[in-house]
Amino acid sequence: MRTVAEVARMIDHSLLRPELTTGDIETGCALAARYRVASVCVRPADVPLAATALAGTGVLVGTVVGFPHGGNATAVKEAETRLAIEQGATEIDMVLNIGRLRSGQLDDVEADIRAVVTAAASAPVKVILENAYLTDEQKIAGCRAAERAGTRFVKTSTGFADGGATMADLRLMRATVSDTVEVKAAGGVRSLDTLLAMADLGVTRFGATVTDRILDDLDHRLRDRDGWTAA
């Protein structure tokens, strides 16, 4: 079984709900630092706060671009990306243009993604497909456009549509992109068993809001396996 530290480094702790207060963001960043997860993913306006809160912790600051619908003009997505990087973001989760993808306008989809990848410079970009709105053929086309555009990850969902990550979608995405592109699951990753099953498919990053529940569950299981008594 994977260690707590290994699983923690696969989690992007999500702080994207619109009602979250400044105090909620600070509390979430403290939780992320305590568990030493890969990153927090915050709303764009919260990037400076998160960057300050997480300085020196080793936890990265991620944010979203074109969120949650993907319909922003490309120039707006570029500007969002550049500002986020200037303010301390080190990872970018962008929503591709869902309507253009559904319309079969793949050149537009690819150009939109490439513009964000360029604006992000060395910061990894995760392209959100929002699979709940797509056919399998559209998911494949979106993944391939994202890879051609130079993305580091393809991602299932924003967590704000009717459906989130599914095992079938993750298999399809992992089979569609090359080994140089990683797969992120988001939306519905609410238990350790779900996360581990998805990891077995080759998923390497997870968006989660119940990070502490997942990692505490793993800690308890490992203690039980090794004959420890959980405190």
Side-chain angles (χ1 to χ4, degrees):
M1 185 178 290
R2 299 171 191 264
T3 68
V4 173
E6 287 170 342
V7 173
R9 298 306 293 174
M10 301 173 79
I11 293 176
D12 294 339
H13 185 55
S14 178
L15 298 170
L16 295 171
R17 296 198 313 275
E19 76 276 14
L20 295 179
T21 66
T22 300
D24 293 329
I25 301 301
E26 291 172 335
T27 298
C29 287
L31 183 150
R34 183 166 70 252
Y35 285 92
R36 301 182 67 82
V37 299
S39 79
V40 295
C41 191
V42 297
R43 300 166 304 196
D46 298 320
V47 168
L49 175 60
T52 298
L54 293 169
T57 66
V59 177
L60 302 175
V61 177
T63 193
V64 289
V65 164
F67 195 86
H69 302 304
N72 307 57
T74 297
V76 174
K77 290 182 177 178
E78 290 179 289
E80 280 190 290
T81 301
R82 286 192 294 268
L83 179 60
I85 299 299
E86 289 170 7
Q87 293 184 330
T90 53
E91 295 191 333
I92 300 294
D93 289 36
M94 73 161 291
V95 187
L96 56 66
N97 194 310
I98 300 165
R100 296 287 194 274
L101 178 56
R102 284 169 53 90
S103 300
Q105 296 174 267
L106 299 181
D107 288 345
D108 289 347
V109 172
E110 183 177 338
D112 186 59
I113 297 168
R114 181 174 286 107
V116 171
V117 169
T118 300
S122 60
V125 173
K126 306 167 196 154
V127 173
I128 305 170
L129 277 75
E130 200 67 290
N131 286 338
Y133 300 134
L134 306 176
T135 65
D136 283 355
E137 291 74 16
Q138 290 163 347
K139 295 166 195 172
I140 291 169
C143 283
R144 289 177 175 167
E147 179 163 10
R148 289 193 301 270
T151 191
R152 185 81 61 85
F153 290 81
V154 289
K155 177 178 170 182
T156 58
S157 323
T158 62
F160 288 83
D162 291 338
T166 69
M167 301 298 282
D169 280 349
L170 292 167
R171 289 189 190 94
L172 180 66
M173 294 168 73
R174 183 62 275 167
T176 298
V177 295
S178 73
D179 291 342
T180 62
V181 178
E182 299 180 59
V183 177
K184 176 177 174 179
V189 184
R190 298 190 180 93
S191 73
L192 175 63
D193 289 330
T194 296
L195 184 151
L196 293 175
M198 291 177 172
D200 285 343
L201 297 179
V203 178
T204 54
R205 197 74 75 86
F206 299 88
T209 58
V210 292
T211 298
D212 49 348
R213 184 193 308 169
I214 290 169
L215 295 175
D216 288 347
D217 185 9
L218 178 56
D219 182 59
H220 293 156
R221 294 190 198 190
L222 292 172
R223 287 172 181 267
D224 288 346
R225 184 197 66 179
D226 295 337
W228 290 61
T229 301

